[in-house]
Amino acid sequence: MLNRLAKLALVSTALAPIFLTLWFVEISSSWLRGLPWTENLAAHWLVGSGYLLAALVLSGLCFGLVWLSASRHGLERLPVKIKSVKTVDKEIVGFLLVYLLPLINQSQSTISLPVLVFVAVIFFFIVYNSHAYHFNPLLGFFGYHFFEVTIEGDITYVLVTRQNITDCKAVSQVVQLTEYMILDANHAK
């Protein structure tokens, strides 16, 4: 299982789309409507680059955590027998509101950074304490799907895998990322 620091990192990576939205807001605010696209890009390519860099770093961290966890040298592989499967990919839609929150200030010329930091901190603690950090859009971007599975012993987990599961026997080995989150070890990379 991942240690507390790795779980904090996984929750933090869920904030990457907020940085991407902030980058979009910054670049669209400085965009001059009369200039051609190429000239605008040449003149304003550095605008909001800190936000874009933060989004890219968090994306790399997310991918690295999952990749290392499933590697042969990562977490211990555990055999598993799944009794039932239900897709939960649709749950990610609920996070969309938080990711689009910076666009609400679009009518103003500046972004209210204190309000955004406050909302991001609340979002971070809610996600961490509710065990909802598996609904990370970056994992979806990297091709992972989310399933609610019940294993022998009637314990329910969220399974993260790159495959579409149509048969309970499709997953035979997992690594346990958190208390309620497992990763398909054979189809993780």
Side-chain angles (χ1 to χ4, degrees):
M1 199 166 12
L2 293 175
N3 63 23
R4 182 170 272 180
L5 183 62
K7 283 192 263 187
L8 285 171
L10 191 59
V11 174
S12 298
T13 63
L15 299 175
I18 293 175
F19 287 116
L20 197 59
T21 305
L22 288 171
W23 169 76
F24 176 77
V25 167
E26 286 290 318
I27 203 142
S28 66
S29 297
S30 65
W31 207 259
L32 301 173
R33 303 221 188 272
L35 285 179
W37 184 84
T38 54
E39 289 180 36
N40 255 319
L41 188 61
H44 306 331
W45 69 275
L46 273 177
V47 173
S49 60
Y51 294 128
L52 184 59
L53 181 62
L56 292 173
V57 166
L58 288 174
S59 298
L61 178 63
C62 178
F63 183 77
L65 275 171
V66 172
W67 186 81
L68 285 173
S69 295
S71 73
R72 296 268 180 229
H73 305 293
L75 299 175
E76 178 185 4
R77 291 173 178 247
L78 305 168
V80 68
K81 289 186 181 176
I82 297 175
K83 291 172 56 175
S84 67
V85 177
K86 180 177 118 179
T87 185
V88 288
D89 274 341
K90 63 186 178 298
E91 302 290 335
I92 198 72
V93 176
F95 283 78
L96 189 60
L97 178 64
V98 174
Y99 298 136
L100 297 178
L101 190 63
L103 296 177
I104 293 172
N105 284 339
Q106 195 61 10
S107 62
Q108 300 174 357
S109 61
T110 61
I111 297 171
S112 176
L113 197 58
V115 170
L116 289 175
V117 168
F118 177 74
V119 169
V121 167
I122 288 175
F123 175 74
F124 179 86
F125 283 110
I126 288 172
V127 168
Y128 185 79
N129 291 320
S130 68
H131 300 288
Y133 38 82
H134 51 273
F135 297 118
N136 188 323
L138 292 179
L139 293 173
F141 177 75
F142 292 130
Y144 291 94
H145 302 284
F146 307 97
F147 296 92
E148 182 179 291
V149 296
T150 304
I151 65 170
E152 285 185 341
D154 293 328
I155 301 171
T156 303
Y157 291 98
V158 171
L159 171 70
V160 181
T161 183
R162 284 192 183 226
Q163 66 175 330
N164 287 317
I165 298 177
T166 56
D167 181 14
C168 290
K169 294 178 179 137
V171 178
S172 59
Q173 282 191 329
V174 298
V175 293
Q176 188 169 0
L177 296 176
T178 65
E179 293 90 354
Y180 302 105
M181 186 174 173
I182 55 179
L183 174 68
D184 180 0
N186 296 327
H187 299 95
K189 296 181 184 180

